[in-house]
Amino acid sequence: YPPEETLVDLLAVALARHPDRVAASDASGSLTYRELHDRANVLARKLAVLGCGAGQRVGVCLERSTDLVVALCAVLKAGAAYVPLDPEYPEGRLTFMLADSSIRVLLTQERLTGRVSSWSGPIVLVDRAVGSDLDSEVAFDPMVVLPPRAEDPAYMIYTSGSTGQPKGAINSHRGIVNRLRWMQEHFGLQKTDVVLQKTPMSFDVSVWEFFWPLMQGARLVLARPGGHRDPEYLAELIEAERVTVTHFVPSMLQAFLAGPVRRPLSSLREVICSGEALSVEVAARCHARFPHVRLHNLYGPTEAAVDVSYWLCDPEEPRATVPIGRPVANTQLYVLNGRLHPVAIGVAGELYIAGRQVGLGYHGRPALTAERFIADPFATIQGARMYRTGDRARWLPGGALEYLGRFDHQVKLHGQRLELGEVESLLGAVPGVAAAAASVWHDAHGERLVAYCVPEPGVVLEPAVLRAALARDLPLGVVPSAFVSLAELPLSPNGKLDRKALPPPLAGALP
């Protein structure tokens, strides 16, 4: 793919080809491609006047709406990078991000100003600025003056680290354009397709949800704020809007399949999973419920432009695990030992990512950037880097990768090393268990493994049955000593399991 392309270039092509098609719609209305670009140009001009351009960052704190789409496009047209500030985040986290991100301007809505009261810099209220000026100003494209370059940052998304302090991961236009170009080549989105945007903008999956349909002349349907947590609403929206492509974090797909939804969703063609390990059980449930849908498992960290590997799940091919697959275009994946030497097929090692999608590093964290973004010893291009993921993986015969869990989710219990993901997968396979999690607790009872289970509707889970099921595969010393029944698993704003929010075992533990 052309390495000099930017997101602005891709958006401009779609506008030229499909000016009068509907680009994005929410519950309040829709925008054509021409209207979207006109509004974004007006807002981009305001950002340029406020000094936003290449090398600058613009904070975006808006609820999911067409205003949000306009704001993201405007930041890119101004040549700057956007920084998502999820209005659902706790006040302390938003305050930290506003102070840490070095944004020049904040884009928000009038009703959300109280959520970002710690910000004392320039604020542009998107719901006022664009609507009042669209008719009175000549909508022009500021990119004819100063277009962004492929190596410039396009966005910075905060991701939590093992220390608990968020860090801003920066990705370039070149990296995300490569990811979008590959996605289009692989999936072949048509202008008649409808893509559901339901992922919070603070999660990097939202980047392709926003921009992939907008570069192809397809239609982007935005779920209502908070709607990504409501399976029945999502099913209604998919059916009403004839959505063809959507994304689920595996834990959310599990909740969606376990819910009361009984709609056929006949328009749905592709379901894309990423963000967590996809279990064989959830994949099988998806295929059984929606046999007309192709299910894909993608893998990638925020530090490498969303996803770097892909796998098409085949319901006819029995597997013990769902692979994360093969690398996307212009990407190299290495499984290495502690000396950065490749390991043999079937041998576990740490996964490293190289190629065009490797990010630019962490904002204001040079030591951490140097630790995680290291020189690529296999590259022929001087200065090339690779990203150290902290994920365990191994190559399978046939050339696919298998994800084995995080190094920091690997625990040692009673002298035995254990992957929490393995326990969760086994629990999820027990009949009647809709969702599962596991955690190690240190309390008056000593160190013990605790299992958390969400029962399917109408099911009463018996600890003896759960223990017996796990004992068939786990050594006796690492079978959970307590089981906690929950109505639902605690999730982060991104829809991932929030392990830190799991309650102590005395709260709701099964006898």
Side-chain angles (χ1 to χ4, degrees):
Y1 315 130
E4 70 281 357
E5 282 186 319
T6 68
L7 282 174
V8 176
D9 296 327
L10 300 184
L11 294 172
V13 170
L15 169 63
R17 293 176 177 173
H18 314 285
D20 298 318
R21 288 187 63 82
V22 172
S25 59
D26 60 17
S28 64
S30 61
L31 295 175
T32 66
Y33 276 84
R34 180 184 286 111
E35 291 169 335
L36 171 61
H37 280 262
D38 284 350
R39 290 172 181 266
N41 288 342
V42 170
L43 188 54
R45 182 176 184 178
K46 293 182 179 296
L47 292 174
V49 170
L50 291 170
C52 297
Q56 301 293 331
R57 284 172 291 280
V58 176
V60 179
C61 184
L62 289 94
E63 292 180 328
R64 188 184 297 114
S65 63
T66 53
D67 277 349
L68 174 56
V69 182
V70 169
L72 298 182
C73 292
V75 174
L76 297 173
K77 283 173 173 284
Y82 72 87
V83 181
L85 301 164
D86 193 328
E88 291 193 352
Y89 271 169
E91 184 177 351
R93 187 179 180 99
L94 285 174
T95 299
F96 170 83
M97 292 165 66
L98 284 166
D100 181 76
S101 59
S102 303
I103 61 173
R104 190 174 185 90
V105 178
L106 174 63
L107 300 180
T108 189
Q109 293 156 309
E110 187 171 15
R111 63 181 175 274
L112 296 177
T113 52
R115 303 288 299 135
V116 289
S117 57
S118 65
W119 171 251
S120 58
I123 291 180
V124 177
L125 300 178
V126 176
D127 43 351
R128 285 186 175 185
V130 175
S132 62
D133 295 335
L134 187 61
D135 296 329
S136 60
E137 292 188 13
V138 176
F140 79 110
D141 191 339
M143 290 303 90
V144 299
V145 179
L146 189 61
R149 301 168 300 173
E151 62 268 26
D152 288 338
Y155 63 90
M156 182 173 87
I157 289 182
Y158 276 84
T159 179
S160 295
S162 57
T163 63
Q165 186 181 54
K167 51 189 184 294
I170 306 171
N171 281 276
S172 68
H173 282 267
R174 179 177 289 121
I176 189 59
V177 166
N178 186 82
R179 168 65 176 73
L180 294 173
R181 283 290 192 191
W182 166 82
M183 198 169 197
Q184 178 56 24
E185 182 180 71
H186 186 70
F187 291 94
L189 197 71
Q190 302 296 313
K191 64 181 181 180
T192 53
D193 276 309
V194 180
V195 177
L196 178 60
Q197 202 293 301
K198 65 180 183 62
T199 304
M201 63 173 173
S202 53
F203 184 20
D204 63 349
V205 165
S206 67
V207 182
W208 71 251
E209 283 182 341
F210 283 120
F211 296 111
W212 181 34
L214 294 181
M215 67 180 258
Q216 291 303 132
R219 182 161 66 96
L220 179 65
V221 169
L222 296 119
R224 70 188 181 201
H228 59 285
R229 303 187 190 93
D230 186 341
E232 181 63 32
Y233 162 74
L234 289 176
E236 291 176 0
L237 186 63
I238 290 170
E239 195 161 85
E241 298 292 343
R242 306 298 296 167
V243 169
T244 59
V245 181
T246 191
H247 173 273
F248 280 100
V249 172
S251 55
M252 290 298 293
L253 177 60
Q254 189 173 34
F256 185 79
L257 296 171
V261 179
R262 290 295 179 267
R263 299 174 183 273
L265 306 187
S266 58
S267 66
L268 198 58
R269 188 180 75 248
E270 314 281 357
V271 168
I272 299 169
C273 275
S274 66
E276 294 173 338
L278 175 63
S279 70
V280 171
E281 292 74 28
V282 172
R285 290 179 189 178
C286 184
H287 283 132
R289 183 73 168 277
F290 304 114
H292 60 284
V293 169
R294 295 201 309 170
L295 178 64
H296 309 266
N297 189 35
L298 276 61
Y299 162 88
T302 307
E303 292 85 349
V306 191
D307 298 302
V308 294
S309 72
Y310 66 99
W311 180 259
L312 173 62
C313 301
D314 185 352
E316 303 300 324
E317 184 181 12
R319 285 182 173 271
T321 61
V322 179
I324 59 174
R326 298 177 175 84
V328 305
N330 301 308
T331 299
Q332 298 81 48
L333 302 179
Y334 303 108
V335 180
L336 308 177
N337 62 20
R339 294 177 293 173
L340 299 184
H341 293 164
V343 299
I345 292 173
V347 176
E350 185 168 2
L351 183 58
Y352 288 76
I353 302 167
R356 197 177 289 182
Q357 288 183 208
V358 172
L360 302 177
Y362 301 114
H363 169 64
R365 307 282 291 275
L368 185 60
T369 297
E371 175 187 336
R372 304 309 294 258
F373 294 82
I374 65 175
D376 182 357
F378 310 103
T380 57
I381 301 174
Q382 187 174 6
R385 298 181 304 164
M386 62 181 184
Y387 174 69
R388 180 179 183 180
T389 67
D391 289 330
R392 296 176 65 246
R394 64 179 178 179
W395 289 108
L396 300 173
L401 271 172
E402 180 182 35
Y403 174 78
L404 300 174
R406 292 284 302 169
F407 276 97
D408 50 13
H409 286 170
Q410 189 182 73
V411 299
K412 202 167 187 178
L413 190 66
H414 308 308
Q416 301 186 63
R417 194 162 295 281
L418 178 70
E419 287 285 349
L420 294 179
E422 180 183 2
V423 179
E424 292 164 354
S425 178
L426 292 171
L427 277 169
V430 177
V433 176
S439 182
V440 174
W441 281 87
H442 304 267
D443 53 25
H445 300 279
E447 186 179 59
R448 55 181 178 150
L449 182 64
V450 179
Y452 299 84
C453 300
V454 177
E456 293 180 349
V459 173
V460 177
L461 297 175
E462 297 290 341
V465 175
L466 296 172
R467 287 193 182 95
L470 296 184
R472 288 195 291 267
D473 294 282
L474 294 176
L476 183 61
V478 292
V479 172
S481 60
F483 294 84
V484 178
S485 182
L486 299 175
E488 59 184 14
L489 295 179
L491 303 177
S492 71
N494 293 345
K496 296 184 180 182
L497 173 65
D498 186 356
R499 292 183 187 276
K500 294 180 181 179
L502 290 169
L506 293 180
L510 299 172

